[in-house]
Each structure stands twice: as structure tokens, then as C-alpha cells.
Amino acid sequence: MFLKQSALITSILLFFLVSCGESPKKNNSTTQETTAKIDSVPKETIAEEVKSEEEAFILNEENAIDFFFNYAKDLKEDKVKLTTSMGSFTVQLYDNVPYHKANFIYLTRMGYFDNTQFHRIVKNFIIQGGNSDDKETPRKRRAIGRYLLPPDVNKGHKHHRGTISMPSSDRSNPHKLASPYEFFIVVTKPGSYHLDGSYTPFGKVINGMDVVDAISNVEVGDGDWPWKNVYILKAEVL
């Protein structure tokens, strides 16, 4: 009985101090009951709150160019490895296409591409990834922001086989502004040069082209969507 009364008195004093705007100081004699209440706050909740504060910045069409311009300044990495449900391959990104390179690395670091799919496969032409029929994908897009990237087609890069490039947005888009969340890889031999000048090549496959070819040969249905989903399990900057 004495212990219960002591714990009750301690709780009342603690409540009084907090109510007066004072922070209770560390006390090694704090009762187990009080410690249990503090420790009962789920660590996952604290992590989510911290993460939400870090991710409060939202990209939009007004701030995206300035953001990627500054992001690219200190960017030394130029390779991204994509591990898919059919194997892995690595792309090297071009330094002289800074906005598209920075965008791809930023989205990779944000975990956007993880668990997206190769949602459009046109045999002997391209495989296109970065979208999904999972509701988590549009949720990620809302959290990162809504923006487009300007084309950057005059840097001397062509749509050779193995080139990674960025498709245009589905929105009314006479200037071929790029959809930043998706990408396509050319599988045509020796290339698909009719795309030059309309889309922005921003890198090339340097390892695992056999995996890209395997993806390009899966069975597809209406809209060139594979019958069996081909997932990007993880994307990581090297």
C-alpha cells in the first residue's frame, strides 16, 4: 500500500511541474511506473514524426529547377543499381545533363523507385519503368511533389541501345517536358534514333544489359503492360 501511495504522490508532483511549464529533471529514483509510461511511447511513432519533419519539403514547378541546380553542385555519384524481380543492372548517368541526373539520384535516395514496376514494354523498342498499379506509388509522388523537367536534348547524346531516357508528361505538353518519375531504356539494335531531339537521354546501361533484354521479352497485354509484374525491388546509388 505504501509503495502505491508513493507512486501516486510522485505522479501528482510530476503532473504539477509539467503543468507549470517546467521540464522535470532527470531523477534516478523515478518510479518504475513513471519510467514505464515514458518508455511506452512507440519508437516507430517518434521515427515517423522525425521523418515527416525531414520530408516536409515538397517539390513543385516553381522550385524544382533551383532545387536540382543546387543539388547537382555537390553530386559526385553517377551510378545507380536497379535490382528487379528478374535480376539487376547498373546505369551510369551523364554529368552534362545535370537536372535529369540529379532528379534520378534524388528519387533513388528518397526510395521512390523501390517496389515500382516496369509497366510498359514494347518489344524491340523500349522498357519503361517507375510507375505501378500499387496505391503506394501515387502516395510517394504526392509526398515528393508535382513537377516537370525541361528537355535537355542538345548535349550530344543519342538514343543508342542501352540508353536511359525520360518520357514526356501525359499532360498537355507541347514543349516535351519530362515526367520525372518515369524512365525508359532503349533495347533496339543499334538504337532508336527517331527519339533524338524529342526526349532527353541522361545515361546508359553499363552492366546487366542481359537483364534488360530479358525484361523486354516478357509477355504483355493491352497497353503493353506485362502479364506478370516485373518489379524494381530496390534502387541504390553507387
Side-chain angles (χ1 to χ4, degrees), residues 37-229:
K37 289 180 180 179
I38 295 172
D39 289 342
S40 66
V41 178
K43 293 181 180 179
E44 293 80 6
T45 300
I46 297 173
E48 288 175 2
E49 290 177 355
V50 172
K51 186 176 180 180
S52 65
E53 291 179 2
E54 291 177 346
E55 295 180 351
F57 174 72
I58 303 293
L59 285 165
N60 57 49
E61 293 184 5
E62 282 70 42
N63 65 21
I65 296 302
D66 285 342
F67 173 79
F68 287 121
F69 175 79
N70 291 311
Y71 192 83
K73 285 181 178 178
D74 301 320
L75 198 58
K76 295 179 173 56
E77 298 83 358
D78 66 351
K79 298 179 183 66
V80 174
K81 179 180 179 181
L82 293 99
T83 301
T84 80
S85 53
M86 295 183 64
S88 63
F89 62 90
T90 301
V91 297
Q92 183 171 33
L93 309 177
Y94 301 139
D95 290 330
N96 67 345
V97 191
Y99 297 117
H100 294 69
K101 174 187 175 181
N103 171 78
F104 198 73
I105 289 181
Y106 177 72
L107 292 182
T108 297
R109 287 176 170 165
M110 291 292 286
Y112 169 75
F113 293 114
D114 298 353
N115 298 314
T116 57
Q117 301 170 18
F118 283 97
H119 58 281
R120 180 172 178 246
I121 295 175
V122 184
K123 292 186 183 300
N124 301 315
F125 183 35
I126 64 164
I127 64 172
Q128 185 166 327
N131 206 338
S132 170
D133 53 3
D134 188 333
K135 63 182 180 181
E136 181 68 9
T137 298
R139 186 200 68 78
K140 286 183 180 180
R141 292 189 182 197
R142 287 193 298 271
I144 295 171
R146 179 181 171 88
Y147 62 101
L148 298 173
L149 292 177
D152 196 358
V153 299
N154 297 317
K155 297 298 177 63
H157 303 299
K158 297 183 177 298
H159 286 84
H160 301 298
R161 170 176 159 80
T163 293
I164 181 170
S165 188
M166 200 168 288
S168 297
S169 167
D170 290 335
R171 286 185 264 172
S172 178
N173 193 5
H175 300 295
K176 295 285 187 181
L177 298 179
S179 175
Y181 292 107
E182 299 180 18
F183 62 91
F184 66 86
I185 298 174
V186 177
V187 297
T188 318
K189 297 178 181 179
S192 291
Y193 303 116
H194 65 285
L195 302 176
D196 295 347
S198 296
Y199 304 92
T200 302
F202 62 96
K204 61 182 179 181
V205 176
I206 59 171
N207 185 39
M209 192 62 194
D210 57 323
V211 175
V212 175
D213 286 333
I215 295 172
S216 73
N217 285 315
V218 302
E219 294 292 329
V220 299
D222 294 338
D224 300 316
W225 196 293
W227 283 113
K228 182 178 180 180
N229 288 335

Side-chain angles (χ1 to χ4, degrees), residues 2-14:
F2 177 76
L3 290 175
K4 291 183 178 179
Q5 289 177 344
S6 177
L8 178 60
I9 291 170
T10 301
S11 298
I12 292 171
L13 288 173
L14 183 59

